[in-house]
């Protein structure tokens, strides 16, 4: 069904995006602004999470509403 297929795609994307952080320690965690966090892992991978209902630009990175961006180190 549609919802099952959609959820499978979301999980696959998440697993792919965060695979490089599975065994990594967190080196730094910051709240950049209201609803926006930055996590730096020991391998240099950075994740930006936006929990707001609107798109945000932080550190020259555009993070969609209710989403995240991963920059692999």
């Amino acid at each position: 069904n549609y919802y099952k297929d959609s959820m499978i795609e979301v999980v696959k994307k998440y697993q792919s995006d965060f695979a490089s952080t599975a065994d990594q320690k967190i080196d730094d965690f910051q709240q950049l602004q209201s609803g926006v966090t930055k996590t730096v892992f020991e391998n240099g991978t950075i994740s930006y999470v936006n929990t707001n209902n609107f798109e945000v630009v932080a550190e020259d990175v555009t993070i969609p509403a209710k989403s995240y961006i991963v920059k692999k180190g």
Side-chain angles (χ1 to χ4, degrees), residues 37-52:
T37 60
K38 173 185 176 182
T39 305
V40 180
F41 297 87
E42 65 184 347
N43 67 354
T45 297
I46 301 172
S47 71
Y48 295 91
V49 177
N50 177 9
T51 60
N52 293 304

Side-chain angles (χ1 to χ4, degrees), residues 12-50:
K12 285 180 181 178
K13 180 180 180 340
Y14 183 85
Q15 287 174 332
S16 173
D17 289 344
F18 286 97
S20 65
T21 65
D23 60 349
Q24 299 295 300
K25 293 179 181 173
I26 293 173
D27 276 349
D28 191 30
F29 178 83
Q30 301 173 31
Q31 182 164 350
L32 299 180
Q33 58 193 53
S34 180
V36 181
T37 60
K38 173 185 176 182
T39 305
V40 180
F41 297 87
E42 65 184 347
N43 67 354
T45 297
I46 301 172
S47 71
Y48 295 91
V49 177
N50 177 9

Side-chain angles (χ1 to χ4, degrees), residues 33-36 50-57 63-67:
Q33 58 193 53
S34 180
V36 181
N50 177 9
T51 60
N52 293 304
N53 291 321
F54 49 87
E55 183 180 273
V56 170
V57 176
I63 313 151
K66 300 285 185 182
S67 191

